[in-house]
Amino acid sequence: MTIKMIALDLDGTLLRSDKTIDPLTLRQLKRASEEGIIIAIASGRDKNGTKFVYEPLELEKGNHYLALVNGQMIYSFAKKEYELDRVLDNTDAQKILQVVKQYDVEAIFCCGYDFYDYISKRQKMKKHLARVIHGRPMDYGLAQGHGERNFITIKEKDHFTQDINKVVLVHTQRYFRRHLDEIRAELKEYDLLEVGPQWIEIMPKNVNKASALEQIAKENGFTLKEVIAFGDAENDIEMIRRCGYGIAMGNAMQQVKDVAYAQTDTNERQGIAKALSRYVFCEEDAG
């Protein structure tokens, strides 16, 4: 079956650990674009946070897309328009706050360019210590380098008047191993996605990268069976499972590999380029 679209997660997938794209993968993706294949960046980031990727890929020049905030928002470069799926509101925020306070987990409520941070005094002291010792930014880089973004510590009784795109939970890997199942049970009306060992994202139920890609495919006259998708974490599982060619990176979480059509090499070893060579260009050697 001819592949009509390539969908790409960013961190741990298209991007190497230094947040760059290897040159061979960049060439392969540009070649695919020149052959009329749609490129869709499918990321938990917002549009501004993907600019350093879509510019070198030259996605602005063609019929390409961004599936942002884990698929909640679609941006079409051709139309220069957004489509928005369901969001969280203040009622959701208060339910989530109650649980994160119970488990003493940091929670970041992502509202467009504003990031509202709930953190207990105890966890804030630990965070300050990590900044001093390891140089970790207090905003985790969410607002850094973007003048229009704000990282705001929320007060005890704050209410949210803005739509909430997602909520990020932050704690240690060890803590989440012990308590994540309990937190999932408490927040069962939402999707909790393990993006990294210390980073969990809360989304409205059934709003995901797969639902966004399905909408893009429908608008362009094909189905998910004609899509090759690459990912490594829990927020990629639905698109990996539902796309015709769902490819797990070699460094992917085991639960991603379990649902994948196939597995490729790691993000550090040209995994995407190797899979494109095989499944898109029908060549044995990626080089």
Side-chain angles (χ1 to χ4, degrees), residues 200-219:
I200 310 300
E201 296 188 348
I202 302 176
M203 294 290 298
K205 203 77 171 176
N206 299 320
V207 174
N208 52 55
K209 295 179 182 183
S211 61
L213 296 178
E214 187 171 45
Q215 181 62 30
I216 295 169
K218 183 179 179 181
E219 289 178 5

Side-chain angles (χ1 to χ4, degrees), residues 134-170:
H134 303 292
R136 296 172 186 164
M138 294 294 284
D139 66 357
Y140 302 104
L142 291 169
Q144 279 189 336
H146 301 279
E148 66 272 32
R149 293 184 176 185
N150 301 295
F151 195 83
I152 306 159
T153 300
I154 65 175
K155 297 175 184 177
E156 187 70 21
K157 296 183 179 180
D158 269 357
H159 287 265
F160 292 84
T161 57
Q162 294 175 263
D163 289 338
I164 302 164
N165 302 113
K166 66 179 180 180
V167 182
V168 177
L169 306 184
V170 185

Side-chain angles (χ1 to χ4, degrees), residues 257-276:
K257 294 177 180 178
D258 289 344
V259 301
Y261 171 83
Q263 181 179 325
T264 189
D265 213 330
T266 71
N267 61 323
E268 301 289 347
R269 293 172 53 86
Q270 302 178 328
I272 290 176
K274 292 172 182 177
L276 292 179

Side-chain angles (χ1 to χ4, degrees), residues 180 184 192-197 199-200 233-235 253 255:
L180 183 55
R184 283 189 201 273
L192 272 68
L193 308 168
E194 188 178 352
V195 178
W199 190 273
I200 310 300
E234 274 194 346
N235 61 337
M253 296 177 181
Q255 54 266 50

Side-chain angles (χ1 to χ4, degrees), residues 87-101 107-111 116 118 154-167 169 187 189-190 202:
V87 294
L88 303 170
D89 60 17
N90 181 64
T91 301
D92 299 306
Q94 299 309 318
K95 290 178 184 177
I96 293 166
L97 273 171
Q98 185 176 352
V99 174
V100 299
K101 288 175 182 178
I108 304 166
F109 296 79
C110 304
C111 308
Y116 293 91
Y118 167 77
I154 65 175
K155 297 175 184 177
E156 187 70 21
K157 296 183 179 180
D158 269 357
H159 287 265
F160 292 84
T161 57
Q162 294 175 263
D163 289 338
I164 302 164
N165 302 113
K166 66 179 180 180
V167 182
L169 306 184
L187 297 171
E189 63 259 64
Y190 309 101
I202 302 176

